[in-house]
Amino acid sequence: MSVSSAFNDEKGGSSSVGEPEYGHDPASGGIFSSDYKRHDDLKEMLDSNKDSLKLEAMKRIVAMIARGKNASDLFPAVVKNVACKNIEVKKLVYVYLVRYAEEQQDLALLSISTFQRGLKDPNQLIRASALRVLSSIRVTIIVPIMMLAIKEAASDMSPYVRKTAAHAIPKLYSLDPEQKDQLIEVIEKLLADKTTLVAGSVVMAFEEVCPERIDLIHKNYRKLCNLLIDVEEWGQVVIINMLTRYARTQFLNPNINESLLEEGSGGEKAFYGSDDDEDEDEEEKEKKAEAMAMAKRKPYVMDPDHRLLLRNTKPLLQSRNAAVVMAVAQLYFHLAPKAEVGVIAKALVRLLRSHSEVQYVVLQNVATMTIKRRGMFEPYLKSFYIRSTDPTQIKVLKLEVLTNLANETNISTILREFQTYIKSMDKDFVAATIQAIGRCATNIGEVRDTCLNGLVQLLSNRDELVVAESVVVIKKLLQMQPEKHSDIIKHMAKLTDNIQVPMARASILWLIGEYCEHVPKIAPDVLRKMAKSFTNEEDIVKLQIINLAAKLYLTNSKQTKLLTQYVLNLAKYDQNYDIRDRARFIRQLIVPTEKSGALSKYAKKLFLALKPAPVLESPFKDRDHFQLGSLSHLLNAKAGGYQELPDWPEAAPDPSVRNVEVKESVPEWTKCSSREKRREKKVEKPFYSDSEGESGPTESADSESDSASGSESGSGSGEESGSGSQMLSFSVTVKSYELLHRITGEGLSVEYCFSRQPFSSDANMVAVQMQFTNNSTSETKSLHMEDVKLQSGMRVKEFAEIESLPAGESATAVMGIDFCDSTQAANFQLTHTRKFFVSIQPPVGELMQPVFLTENEFKKEQGQLMGMNEITEKLTLDIKCRNEHAIVQRVTTTANLSRVPCGSDKECRFAGRTVTSGSLVLVTVVTKDEGATQLTVNCEKMVIGTMLVKDILLALTQ
């Protein structure tokens, strides 16, 4: 069967012989005939010897899966092609197997050896797909194989494969939790990975397998903070949520002084309390006084790592992904000082306007935030006004936010909005608006009478639900000042003939009974009417009729004694046992007999005791103990798998656990400074110049050789010659990076470094020097570059082909890369007998070249790069880093900048330009007493400046 005919059949065209036509009468039984076989055409194509037919079949099968159709019966035919040599076919076969491996475990197990071979495939996509399929087979017997595959993949040269290994970890853990210890070792290894592609996935694995092991995060904390901005979006969400909980265990509460003062000032007294509470214990007073004194004596100083997290997450508030913005918002809410939380308000309001699909979740979080941080959303009040097109649940949440934002200043505006909302046809929304008016009246005493009068007007509304909700809210408001509102109580008593909603009728009866002394003439008449309709009332109304009768009997027995007995007799035989029990209990309590207990003496105190006015609170009042944005916060209940947000520690844990010893890896071939020794090693070209090969920074202000041998040392003008030795007084150790490991490269190892020398062929390119070492026992021939893949605008000047590299020998080559002033990686293949996929990604400091400025020129340029082109950060330097020598060495190691002369020994200045665009970069480090330091970067390109600040801060604080 041809491909075209098979495709036509799939689309519903003419059927082949033996297959039914769906247009025929189903009663004919053709569809259920025994000779009907599905997907015969696809099976024939998969059994073909032509890769083109197999590829077409797999494309159609994957398309079927994407449309939700069942293709499981093709599993035997597909799995036979798992060893196909065509890479495109193999990719699609693995995609299919990931989908059905769990359902067809027996057949999948037969191909285990093929998957294991796939783990060794040169193509990273095949290796990753093989691991993905292997981890999708949910059979305990292959757990050791899966564990071995994950461990090998965690050491793979491809970050994509390592990312897949991280994804496989939770799968194996759910299959066999006993493997937890071994998996933690893999997680620890992957957490140390410096690739942004891996970071989000391994943190997700960490959260699934061992979230309690925060010790694994310590040494990777700063790296995760610095990588965060470059991680893919969903990885950012995972990392931010994890770092939020981590920070709550490692740093002090930034609002600790404020909370101590609040505790010291004392809150409202408990509602129920003994008289002894007034005489507060002297010891307790001393503790509070001591806490206040401590707060004043020791001002809070934020940990630099705490500041690092806040600083590096702030730019993500501009992310186009709503989940990322929400994650940063919750982080700031839970971790930032009160004065800094306001930055998230604008981002959340922007989400409301641009992402209608996330409005519900955003408003849930905003409703919680407005309870503790009302001020930051007040400027955006109009953003929460309700539109007629909003769904009911959105309207209710916006009402909640508006109510939380109400204060004496804006209450008149908000009440005008509420008057409009009451006219809506959405009855649930109208009921919520009435409740919101009641809450505003409770919270703001100045408008209580206005709100009450407005609600009373609603009692004449034609809609019963509106009237009922108004009655319930009025009842709560009247409890605050009942003696001032007897007219309203009388008006509500008259409504008992018209209002039929049970809750509203019950509320009116409760009010009349509670304040019967204020309406002595009306209350007995209301009881008379209710007694007549008692048998037809709802249970909730009957209970309030009984309560009203009991209260009137105690206060006005002369008029209501017979009515009360009549009501109690009716209730005695009611079908509801609650009503029967209540009637018997009340009869014994209010009508004393010989059998009555001592409790009857206190009947008046029981029924007519003063009751506290209800507090109308927001349903979001206590939700902030859940992490914002979590399912538990949404449900206001702890969901399965939820990790509690830790409380702030009382004392700061040791910050040194996050210190990582940075070992500058100087290549072996750079340790020999003499030309004779380099010739002995048969290196074709010295990797560095003699002066750069010297290990460690050394001061040689008087040495002319240093000033002459440095990078671009001869470019200074005549008037700068006097300070040239000062600018180049530090020799920088150039860091090398591994490009290809000898095991992965099958004996060939490659290291590279950014030599900080001008690239001769093109001044806009960064010079990258590479050292090739043949560790095998055979000669390597024709070593060159292929298949260069670059981002838009980037360029590469390939190194000259190395025709022969004998066993045990090394060779050096230089290539040029124009990174376009970005840190995007340059990807290419190193090729000799095999192809090896490699990638070079530059630190931002290597995208620059030094420029020599006088002090006056520096100040002039800095003055033109103020405002939006300036980034300033404050930090505290460790005692070993407070000297000028250490600062200059760390800054120049981080970035290819030159030293600018300065008259002050407390200030260090550096200057450079980006290689591609020539954008100016100025760095100033000012050190004050006790290590307090200010870092300022002025840069024409703010993206470059932002990344440079992060790198220099990291270098200065380590």
Side-chain angles (χ1 to χ4, degrees), residues 170-182:
K171 295 181 183 179
L172 179 54
Y173 178 68
S174 64
L175 181 62
D176 186 5
E178 293 182 1
Q179 303 295 322
K180 181 174 180 177
D181 291 340
Q182 293 188 59

Side-chain angles (χ1 to χ4, degrees), residues 5 11 32 100 176 191 197 218 243 350 365 410 416 447 468 503 508 713 734 748 785 821 877 924:
S5 62
K11 291 291 184 182
F32 305 103
Y100 289 109
D176 186 5
L191 279 171
L197 192 65
H218 290 325
L243 290 179
R350 176 175 57 85
N365 289 344
N410 58 29
R416 281 198 299 272
V447 297
M503 179 57 74
I508 293 173
S713 60
V734 180
L748 176 67
M785 292 172 58
D821 291 351
L877 291 179
T924 308

Side-chain angles (χ1 to χ4, degrees), residues 759 766-768 770 785 796-797 799 813-817 828 840:
F759 188 64
V766 175
V768 181
M770 293 186 290
M785 292 172 58
V796 163
K797 178 68 174 177
F799 63 84
V814 181
M815 64 182 294
I817 307 177
F828 56 92
I840 294 178

Side-chain angles (χ1 to χ4, degrees), residues 133-386:
V133 176
L134 199 61
S135 60
S136 299
I137 303 175
R138 312 287 294 169
V139 180
T140 310
I141 196 173
I142 66 165
V143 164
I145 298 175
M146 290 172 61
M147 177 58 74
L148 183 61
I150 290 174
K151 287 183 176 179
E152 290 181 353
S155 303
D156 196 279
M157 63 170 288
S158 167
Y160 181 71
V161 179
R162 300 198 297 273
K163 177 186 179 78
T164 307
H167 289 168
I169 289 173
K171 295 181 183 179
L172 179 54
Y173 178 68
S174 64
L175 181 62
D176 186 5
E178 293 182 1
Q179 303 295 322
K180 181 174 180 177
D181 291 340
Q182 293 188 59
L183 290 175
I184 289 176
E185 294 177 4
V186 181
I187 290 173
E188 185 174 9
K189 181 177 183 179
L190 289 174
L191 279 171
D193 199 299
K194 297 181 180 179
T195 311
T196 56
L197 192 65
V198 180
S201 301
V202 68
V203 170
M204 175 61 81
F206 168 83
E207 292 283 75
E208 293 283 338
V209 177
C210 54
E212 73 284 354
R213 289 288 305 276
I214 61 169
D215 57 295
L216 300 179
I217 304 298
H218 290 325
K219 292 192 180 298
N220 300 290
Y221 171 81
R222 292 170 184 163
K223 181 196 70 178
L224 289 173
C225 290
N226 290 314
L227 288 179
L228 192 57
I229 198 166
D230 295 319
V231 175
E232 48 89 20
E233 292 168 336
W234 297 112
Q236 288 174 340
V237 175
V238 174
I239 294 173
I240 290 171
N241 288 332
M242 183 275 292
L243 290 179
T244 301
R245 291 190 296 278
Y246 176 86
R248 287 289 287 256
T249 65
Q250 299 300 307
F251 308 129
L252 291 177
N253 184 355
N255 302 304
I256 186 170
N257 289 355
E258 177 188 349
S259 60
L260 282 174
L261 289 173
E262 287 177 357
E263 290 174 9
S265 63
E268 295 181 1
K269 293 182 180 179
F271 185 77
Y272 297 104
S274 63
D275 295 335
D276 296 337
D277 291 342
E278 296 180 3
D279 301 325
E280 191 176 6
D281 186 78
E282 289 297 327
E283 185 179 347
E284 196 66 29
K285 286 183 178 180
E286 290 177 6
K287 287 183 179 179
K288 289 185 177 180
E290 186 180 347
M292 294 179 67
M294 182 69 71
K296 294 176 181 177
R297 193 165 57 244
K298 292 185 178 180
Y300 169 78
V301 178
M302 181 175 285
D303 189 296
D305 287 330
H306 191 172
R307 172 60 62 196
L308 176 69
L309 177 59
L310 295 175
R311 182 175 59 245
N312 286 15
T313 52
K314 185 176 178 180
L316 296 179
L317 287 171
Q318 305 300 322
S319 174
R320 291 175 294 179
N321 189 299
V324 175
V325 178
M326 291 295 301
V328 177
Q330 64 85 23
L331 180 141
Y332 260 74
F333 181 77
H334 292 302
L335 300 181
K338 185 177 180 180
E340 299 179 24
V341 180
V343 299
I344 66 178
K346 186 176 181 180
L348 292 175
V349 170
R350 176 175 57 85
L351 277 187
L352 283 176
R353 294 170 180 168
S354 58
H355 293 72
S356 58
E357 64 276 8
V358 299
Q359 277 189 340
Y360 185 76
V361 178
V362 173
L363 286 169
Q364 287 264 348
N365 289 344
V366 171
T368 301
M369 292 178 183
T370 49
I371 294 173
K372 291 286 184 72
R373 301 281 188 264
R374 179 172 63 186
M376 69 184 193
F377 286 101
E378 284 181 2
Y380 306 100
L381 183 68
K382 291 185 178 179
S383 299
F384 302 103
Y385 284 178
I386 294 163

Side-chain angles (χ1 to χ4, degrees), residues 54-107:
K54 291 182 178 180
L55 183 60
E56 179 64 27
M58 287 309 304
K59 285 180 178 178
R60 287 175 56 190
I61 293 170
V62 172
M64 288 168 56
I65 296 172
R67 293 197 299 270
K69 294 186 177 180
N70 183 14
S72 58
D73 58 322
L74 288 167
F75 195 92
V78 173
V79 79
K80 286 188 295 186
N81 291 281
V82 74
C84 179
K85 294 183 179 179
N86 185 292
I87 292 181
E88 296 301 320
V89 174
K90 185 177 283 192
K91 287 179 186 177
L92 295 178
V93 168
Y94 278 128
V95 170
Y96 176 91
L97 293 177
V98 169
R99 169 65 180 81
Y100 289 109
E102 190 170 350
E103 297 179 15
Q104 304 277 351
Q105 292 178 357
D106 293 339
L107 287 173

Side-chain angles (χ1 to χ4, degrees), residues 107-118:
L107 287 173
L109 283 172
L110 297 176
S111 304
I112 288 291
S113 59
T114 307
F115 302 144
Q116 289 178 293
R117 285 197 300 271

Side-chain angles (χ1 to χ4, degrees), residues 471-746:
V471 169
V472 174
V473 174
I474 289 172
K475 166 200 162 186
K476 295 177 180 178
L477 294 179
L478 288 181
Q479 285 182 259
M480 298 176 184
Q481 294 175 321
E483 65 283 350
K484 294 184 180 180
H485 304 289
S486 57
D487 292 339
I488 295 177
I489 298 175
K490 292 175 184 177
H491 180 70
M492 294 177 69
K494 296 176 183 178
L495 295 174
T496 52
D497 294 334
N498 301 321
I499 297 177
Q500 301 300 321
V501 177
M503 179 57 74
R505 290 173 69 83
S507 297
I508 293 173
L509 294 175
W510 186 91
L511 266 177
I512 295 171
E514 187 68 17
Y515 306 112
C516 56
E517 295 176 353
H518 298 285
V519 285
K521 295 181 180 180
I522 294 177
D525 194 50
V526 171
L527 179 61
R528 177 183 60 80
K529 291 181 179 180
M530 292 296 103
K532 288 176 64 177
S533 61
F534 183 88
T535 54
N536 299 322
E537 298 288 352
E538 294 289 334
D539 292 345
I540 189 174
V541 180
K542 289 179 180 179
L543 289 172
Q544 290 305 325
I545 294 173
I546 297 172
N547 285 342
L548 174 61
K551 291 174 183 178
L552 287 176
Y553 182 89
L554 293 171
T555 58
N556 189 3
S557 61
K558 183 177 180 181
Q559 285 184 290
T560 59
K561 181 176 181 180
L562 294 176
L563 273 175
T564 301
Q565 290 179 353
Y566 175 69
V567 169
L568 292 176
N569 287 334
L570 289 176
K572 183 178 179 180
Y573 301 102
D574 196 270
Q575 293 182 349
N576 188 299
Y577 61 85
D578 281 339
I579 295 171
R580 297 197 301 269
D581 291 347
R582 179 72 63 88
R584 294 189 184 100
F585 168 72
I586 288 178
R587 187 190 296 274
Q588 292 297 320
L589 198 60
I590 65 175
V591 184
T593 63
E594 295 179 359
K595 297 181 180 179
S596 297
L599 202 60
S600 61
K601 299 176 183 178
Y602 305 100
K604 274 195 175 183
K605 288 187 176 181
L606 289 172
F607 281 98
L608 301 175
L610 289 176
K611 299 176 179 64
V615 179
L616 300 178
E617 292 183 336
S618 168
F620 291 86
K621 182 176 184 295
D622 296 319
R623 287 201 193 184
D624 60 326
H625 66 279
F626 291 117
Q627 189 169 350
L628 266 64
S630 64
L631 179 62
S632 298
H633 174 261
L634 193 67
L635 300 176
N636 197 22
K638 188 175 178 180
Y642 172 73
Q643 297 174 36
E644 294 282 356
L645 191 65
D647 293 328
W648 293 102
E650 294 182 2
D654 182 11
S656 65
V657 295
R658 290 182 293 279
N659 293 340
V660 180
E661 184 180 352
V662 179
K663 296 180 180 179
E664 295 290 347
S665 57
V666 181
E668 289 293 330
W669 65 87
T670 66
K671 294 182 180 178
C672 299
S673 58
S674 67
R675 299 181 184 274
E676 290 75 12
K677 290 185 179 180
R678 281 198 291 271
R679 287 196 191 101
E680 291 175 6
K681 288 194 171 188
K682 299 184 180 179
V683 179
E684 295 179 3
K685 186 178 180 180
F687 202 81
Y688 303 117
S689 64
D690 290 341
S691 61
E692 289 175 333
E694 296 170 5
S695 60
T698 58
E699 289 196 43
S700 54
D702 299 328
S703 172
E704 295 180 1
S705 60
D706 282 351
S707 62
S709 62
S711 174
E712 293 189 23
S713 60
S715 62
S717 62
E719 55 187 305
E720 296 170 0
S721 60
S723 60
S725 60
Q726 179 187 5
M727 289 187 288
L728 296 173
S729 60
F730 290 92
S731 175
V732 179
T733 303
V734 180
K735 186 177 180 180
S736 70
Y737 305 86
E738 184 178 74
L739 187 66
L740 185 65
H741 192 270
R742 60 185 179 82
I743 297 177
T744 309
E746 298 180 358

